[in-house]
Amino acid sequence: MSSTANAYSATYLKFLNLAQAARGLPDFPNLDPVEERLLNLFASTWHTDNKITVLKAMSLSTDVSPTTAHRRLKSMRKKGVIALVSDDLDNRIKYVVPTVLAQHYFAKLGQCLDEAQAA
């Protein structure tokens, strides 16, 4: 393996270690792997300023059934990482939005990435 590949591998492993430590902090709720995957999928959509309806959130991941996704949405809401906001024109439509806790979580992971790259 080239020295460049080794450097990238080392950076990635540092990031994984730092991210794992950050996930264990008491101010972050314990997310299971499905919840974390859904939250990451939501983040990529939120980053582009697109809205996610509950119905869309339930079908966003091809490897998670809609029923499981719905259960995880309830769990993530209870843990405080997402909120549901009603549409202004149609109260039957609910959007999944990040909470301050979710934004703090993403910021912490971003700091982990910066720290891994700097090391």
Side-chain angles (χ1 to χ4, degrees), residues 39-114:
L39 190 60
N40 288 333
L41 287 169
F42 299 160
S44 64
T45 302
W46 293 328
H47 181 71
T48 59
D49 289 329
N50 288 318
K51 293 182 178 182
I52 305 170
T53 64
V54 170
L55 189 59
K56 181 177 178 182
M58 289 171 48
S59 64
L60 205 55
S61 177
T62 58
D63 58 339
V64 176
S65 75
T67 303
T68 299
H70 190 260
R71 279 196 308 264
R72 293 309 194 281
L73 287 172
K74 285 190 205 177
S75 174
M76 292 165 69
R77 185 176 178 202
K78 193 173 189 178
K79 292 176 181 181
V81 293
I82 62 167
L84 301 180
V85 176
S86 295
D87 184 78
D88 293 335
L89 301 175
D90 187 346
N91 284 334
R92 296 172 296 176
I93 300 172
K94 304 274 190 239
Y95 296 105
V96 179
V97 297
T99 62
V100 171
L101 180 60
Q103 293 168 348
H104 181 60
Y105 176 74
F106 295 134
K108 186 63 177 173
L109 290 178
Q111 289 173 344
C112 291
L113 184 57
D114 285 346

